[in-house]
Amino acid sequence: MKLSLAAEEVATFYGKMLEHEYTTKEVFRHNFFRDWRKEMTAAERKVIKRLSKCDFTEIHRHFADRAAARRALPREEKQRLKEEAEKLQQEFGYCILDGHREKIGNFKTEPPGLFRGRGDHPKMGMLKRRVLPEDVTINCGRDSKVPEPPAGHQWKEVRSDRTVTWLAAWTENVQNATKYVMLNPSSKLKGERDWEKYEVARRLKGVVDEIRSRYRADWKSREMKARQRAVALYFIDKLALRAGNEKEEGESADTVGCCSLRVEHVQLHPEADGCPYVVEFDFLGKDSIRYYNKVPVEKPVYRNLQLFLENKDPGEELFDRLTTASLNKHLQDLMDGLTAKVFRTYNASITLQGQLRALTRAEDSIAAKLLSYNRANRAVAVLCNHQRAPPKTFEKSMQALRSKIEAKKQQVAEAKAELEKARAGHASREDGSFLEKRRRRLEKLEEQLVRLGTQATDKEEGKQVALGTSKLNYLDPRISIAWCRRFGVPVEKIYNKTQREKFAWALDMAGEDFEF
DNA sequence: TGTTAGACTTGGAAGAATTTTA
DNA sequence: TAAAATTCTTCCAAGTCTAACA
């Protein structure tokens, strides 16, 4: 059936996603269909009454073919497209801020499509509308040249607000949230903020012992609110939980953080796995990632939890007297600039530094040092519960790696035997070069074997752990850079080009003796 | 004290580019 | 040299936290 332009466009959004799991979800299908029908003409609405009766395969095929054609384009054509994108980037991807040309992070508005909320999001599948110039507010210098809106259009507003960092903003219709155009992480502005963030975390290092004894004392406070705060803070500190703001019900997936934990998310065990006073956490955190952990806690914490849980239903809040606002207010009193998230930054960075110290040996090869680094990074990712879906090809590539190792072992054995033979044959005579050649061959193979073994370990241990987030947002880059310099590891082995640009501030200032 | 809007950081996945492998 | 695997980059959703207001 031939659709009107508007209805057709929305249909293509769905058609493109036919292979995606989203289209199997009832909520997604329902929301999509409702919004799609809104775009239809009255005549279309009369005909199209059930999603299950609609066949999108032709649309899907069209886009699949188009993607394939793109992939099959000749080299020169691809090059041309790349140059075109680069031109666009050069024209629109930069701004002048305080006289410096800075790269913009996201210079394009988000295209229309179907909302891809994560977890059990009640709004998944809803139509995210196209952003028009009339929706966009521009924020630029008072006497700078205002960017030209597309022909025939006007900006919603042009303002000059020096107190914020965004360059343009609009409201997205699904969540009714403001979206911003902001600078790239490599910019001076973002770099400075990043640096400040880690400096606050370093200040926490100086007072953390005091704060810890304070909350331990508060476990016995006469005031219920103070007790709850003290136990929550203990979790935030020890387990690196997020603050856990309250969320409006029905607007997004049901996820929680520390302050919003409910009775149903914790289970108390007087004893488990040989430890007394064990708390079992099981809840969905940010992005609906499951947090599961069984941790022994100190007796007063356990007793307090029993108290907080008393006479409550599963759906009630564990810390009913606590909000993130009151917690942060308390933290602010303990240290200037202290908030719940600083504990995550602090504990992540201090863990990295500690692990690097414990694991690195100066005499190790670069490969071994990198494994140590990865392990230290991984310890942090585990602490912060940064998980990823195991790559689809994981088992297969693991198996491939294992057989490669077997093959290499075989080669090493052979090389060994040959070296022995050469030794025996030339023991008395002076044929050093031949022997040396054999020896070097063996050495090289053994090195390769070690490297493969390292790779395999690394891969296995990292199956479900996402390292990127901690590396980019939680680990003071100066720790890594100092480590590189101290142990002769090229920084490029740790940070790729983009990351080096983001951490330019740290590359400038971190000596090999930097201490977090 | 609670509520909300607004601004900014954090987060995993998808898509693109590059490298490795067969 | 194609295709498979890996790494990099982009995307945009989902958090945190502050400030303004009632």
Side-chain angles (χ1 to χ4, degrees):
Chain A
M1 141 171 210
K2 173 94 183 146
L3 295 169
S4 64
L5 207 58
E8 183 187 71
E9 186 181 41
V10 179
T12 64
F13 297 156
Y14 192 87
K16 278 179 195 165
M17 292 179 71
L18 225 48
E19 228 104 277
H20 202 286
E21 201 197 337
Y22 271 123
T23 61
T24 66
K25 297 190 175 179
E26 204 35 61
V27 177
F28 187 91
R29 293 165 59 89
H30 175 262
N31 286 333
F32 158 71
F33 195 59
R34 202 186 43 200
D35 281 2
W36 186 28
R37 278 177 61 85
K38 287 184 204 154
E39 298 303 307
M40 294 176 191
T41 61
E44 286 166 342
R45 252 193 306 272
K46 248 184 199 157
V47 182
I48 306 171
K49 292 195 166 146
R50 286 227 228 113
L51 181 57
S52 58
K53 299 270 186 184
C54 298
D55 182 358
F56 293 86
T57 51
E58 210 174 311
I59 294 175
H60 184 263
R61 191 160 357 104
H62 167 76
F63 286 105
D65 289 350
R66 221 177 60 164
R70 231 186 127 87
R71 274 196 302 276
L73 244 35
R75 188 186 298 272
E76 316 78 64
E77 193 61 12
K78 279 185 179 164
Q79 185 58 33
R80 205 182 54 78
L81 287 170
K82 205 173 156 185
E83 278 162 18
E84 226 153 82
E86 178 56 27
K87 221 178 99 195
L88 219 60
Q89 166 78 243
Q90 287 301 324
E91 183 174 359
F92 297 107
Y94 292 84
C95 72
I96 305 289
L97 185 81
D98 297 339
H100 295 285
R101 186 166 182 263
E102 299 277 21
K103 197 168 175 190
I104 298 170
N106 55 326
F107 65 91
K108 298 172 185 165
T109 57
E110 293 169 12
L114 304 181
F115 180 71
R116 292 152 102 111
R118 304 201 258 263
D120 278 331
H121 197 117
K123 296 188 171 182
M124 64 166 73
M126 283 173 64
L127 174 63
K128 200 169 83 167
R129 300 184 167 284
R130 170 170 285 107
V131 179
L132 298 174
E134 284 71 16
D135 303 319
V136 177
T137 300
I138 300 290
N139 186 33
C140 61
R142 199 172 296 281
D143 35 41
S144 67
K145 189 173 133 276
V146 178
E148 223 27 66
H153 286 277
Q154 291 190 332
W155 301 124
K156 178 181 181 184
E157 187 196 335
V158 176
R159 63 169 90 155
S160 305
D161 185 348
R162 292 187 50 85
T163 67
V164 295
T165 72
W166 53 269
L167 309 171
W170 70 92
T171 302
E172 171 267 336
N173 67 292
V174 175
Q175 312 233 66
N176 198 233
T178 321
K179 299 277 183 142
Y180 302 94
V181 168
M182 287 189 190
L183 294 186
N184 187 270
S186 63
S187 62
K188 186 156 166 275
L189 181 76
K190 292 283 190 191
E192 262 167 22
R193 299 209 169 196
D194 211 28
W195 172 72
E196 280 165 13
K197 173 180 79 183
Y198 291 113
E199 288 305 298
V200 173
R202 290 177 80 197
R203 276 198 286 124
L204 173 56
K205 185 189 176 191
V207 296
V208 75
D209 288 339
E210 203 179 317
I211 289 176
R212 284 172 178 159
S213 21
R214 169 74 188 266
Y215 69 60
R216 297 169 66 89
D218 279 346
W219 290 341
K220 290 173 251 148
S221 170
R222 281 190 315 272
E223 210 189 339
M224 185 54 129
K225 190 179 157 181
R227 280 198 191 205
Q228 292 196 353
R229 196 176 59 203
V231 171
L233 194 46
Y234 170 73
F235 288 156
I236 284 170
D237 184 20
K238 183 184 168 79
L239 305 175
L241 299 190
R242 296 187 187 83
N245 284 309
E246 45 277 58
K247 302 167 73 183
E248 207 174 334
E249 216 174 325
E251 291 294 302
S252 59
D254 176 20
T255 63
V256 297
C258 187
C259 294
S260 50
L261 279 170
R262 297 191 297 262
V263 171
E264 59 196 318
H265 298 132
V266 293
Q267 237 183 304
L268 301 187
H269 304 284
E271 199 236 282
D273 313 320
C275 299
Y277 311 121
V278 171
V279 184
E280 186 178 355
F281 293 86
D282 193 351
F283 61 89
L284 296 182
K286 181 174 178 180
D287 292 305
S288 292
I289 300 287
R290 185 178 179 209
Y291 182 91
Y292 180 83
N293 203 358
K294 243 175 160 178
V295 271
V297 299
E298 295 179 51
K299 189 173 169 184
V301 171
Y302 191 86
R303 292 286 176 231
N304 271 314
L305 287 170
Q306 284 181 315
L307 187 67
F308 305 158
L309 289 169
E310 231 168 67
N311 300 319
K312 278 191 199 162
D313 292 331
E316 288 186 75
E317 286 203 338
L318 174 65
F319 303 117
D320 53 306
R321 308 285 177 87
L322 189 65
T323 64
T324 52
S326 68
L327 174 64
N328 280 333
K329 198 170 162 300
H330 173 72
L331 292 175
Q332 182 61 238
D333 291 341
L334 297 179
M335 186 193 104
D336 186 39
L338 187 60
T339 63
K341 86 197 255 289
V342 179
F343 281 88
R344 242 166 112 80
T345 312
Y346 161 71
N347 278 310
S349 286
I350 205 76
T351 300
L352 179 77
Q353 182 167 279
Q355 287 290 302
L356 284 179
R357 275 192 192 147
L359 298 173
T360 318
R361 289 179 309 178
E363 66 275 19
D364 275 346
S365 66
I366 299 271
K369 284 175 184 161
L370 286 172
L371 175 64
S372 298
Y373 184 88
N374 263 343
R375 284 190 162 148
N377 192 166
R378 199 140 53 220
V380 175
V382 168
L383 174 72
C384 294
N385 200 39
H386 291 144
Q387 297 188 35
R388 62 167 181 174
K392 286 188 177 62
T393 54
F394 184 85
E395 271 319 315
K396 204 174 140 209
S397 67
M398 198 67 221
Q399 198 47 54
L401 191 52
R402 273 197 281 265
S403 32
K404 237 164 109 182
I405 287 174
E406 281 314 306
K408 193 63 73 181
K409 272 186 189 158
Q410 188 69 38
Q411 283 183 314
V412 168
E414 279 165 19
K416 236 180 218 164
E418 273 181 44
L419 179 62
E420 283 309 312
K421 216 164 84 188
R423 269 209 188 109
H426 298 266
S428 47
R429 279 184 284 135
E430 274 303 300
D431 195 354
S433 77
F434 181 71
L435 253 178
E436 188 52 32
K437 227 161 134 186
R438 287 287 140 111
R439 193 174 302 124
R440 239 182 285 152
R441 179 175 148 74
L442 175 63
E443 218 169 74
K444 204 166 147 197
L445 284 169
E446 277 177 334
E447 220 171 81
Q448 286 170 345
L449 180 61
V450 170
R451 194 160 2 187
L452 284 173
T454 308
Q455 241 180 57
T457 317
D458 211 21
K459 201 179 177 102
E460 187 64 51
E461 290 176 0
K463 184 179 176 183
Q464 302 200 65
V465 186
L467 300 182
T469 298
S470 50
K471 200 172 179 178
L472 248 41
N473 300 303
Y474 287 102
L475 302 176
D476 188 329
R478 291 170 294 184
I479 298 169
S480 302
I481 293 163
W483 177 84
C484 282
R485 292 184 176 157
R486 198 173 319 139
F487 292 104
V489 177
V491 173
E492 304 80 63
K493 297 275 182 190
I494 299 295
Y495 293 131
N496 67 31
K497 186 166 142 282
T498 319
Q499 293 164 343
R500 291 198 300 278
E501 278 166 11
K502 165 167 172 150
F503 296 136
W505 62 270
L507 284 161
D508 276 347
M509 62 193 287
E512 66 175 70
D513 47 1
F514 172 82
E515 180 161 2
F516 178 79

